[in-house]
Amino acid sequence: MQKRGLTSGIILIIIGIILLLNKVFNLNFFSMSNFWPLFILIPGLVFEASYFLTKRNPGLLVPGGILTTLGLLFFFETFTNWQFAAHTWPIYPLAVAIGLFQLYLFGYQQKGLLIPVFILGGISLISFAIMIMNDFFWWINGSLLIPALFILIGIIVLFKSFSKNN
């Protein structure tokens, strides 16, 4: 009975803290517009826990990995008002790669599972790299760096041509 009281007390304190933070900082945490990713995250965590508690049926890790990854992504997107959605889309194929990789690690370790893992993971990583490169080059093109570089190189060329003539 002591353990049940301790657990109940901790849960009530956590709920109270969340409600207090909700009121003080106007987080609106307990609204359905912020809460819906739990309907994806909780089943994913249940699949994961089902395997790790019983160590039977590693096939549960595939939907567990996919749903857990997507649930966490949707929480991030919800709390950032989806402003990064154009940059986080590669996580969708990565979620499938994570689920399959968990099956490989904790399951039968069939080498054939690594093919879709590397394909999907590679697509995700290459997509992230291309987006980062595009953002970087946009920053360079949108800044004064390129014109300043041309001016600096022009000054160096002029000084070298003057020094050769004298």
Side-chain angles (χ1 to χ4, degrees):
M1 213 53 168
Q2 288 276 26
K3 192 174 185 180
R4 178 184 272 175
L6 180 68
T7 305
S8 299
I10 290 172
I11 289 172
L12 289 172
I13 290 171
I14 291 172
I15 291 172
I17 289 172
I18 291 172
L19 288 171
L20 181 65
L21 291 173
N22 195 29
K23 286 289 187 185
V24 171
F25 295 108
N26 197 21
L27 295 177
N28 201 15
F29 181 73
F30 290 109
S31 71
M32 199 51 153
S33 62
N34 292 335
F35 219 41
W36 70 267
L38 283 178
F39 292 111
I40 297 169
L41 181 63
I42 289 174
L45 293 174
V46 167
F47 279 124
E48 297 278 337
S50 295
Y51 169 73
F52 286 111
L53 291 175
T54 63
K55 297 289 187 192
R56 284 181 277 154
N57 195 4
L60 293 171
L61 293 172
V62 177
I66 294 170
L67 292 175
T68 301
T69 303
L70 293 179
L72 292 172
L73 172 66
F74 290 149
F75 261 120
F76 171 77
E77 296 291 4
T78 300
F79 284 107
T80 59
N81 292 321
W82 294 85
Q83 67 185 17
F84 299 106
H87 299 287
T88 58
W89 68 264
I91 294 177
Y92 294 109
L94 186 64
V96 178
I98 289 170
L100 290 172
F101 189 64
Q102 283 183 317
L103 178 62
Y104 173 78
L105 280 179
F106 300 107
Y108 311 113
Q109 297 195 349
Q110 296 172 342
K111 301 266 188 231
L113 279 173
L114 292 178
I115 295 170
V117 168
F118 285 127
I119 290 172
L120 293 169
I123 288 170
S124 297
L125 292 177
I126 290 169
S127 299
F128 274 127
I130 289 171
M131 283 190 293
I132 289 169
M133 296 287 287
N134 284 340
D135 289 345
F136 176 72
F137 287 123
W138 177 85
W139 176 79
I140 288 176
N141 289 334
S143 71
L144 300 175
L145 184 63
I146 299 294
L149 241 128
F150 275 106
I151 293 169
L152 181 65
I153 292 171
I155 291 171
I156 291 170
V157 168
L158 281 176
F159 276 123
K160 283 190 176 186
S161 69
F162 282 128
S163 66
K164 286 184 181 178
N165 288 339
N166 292 334

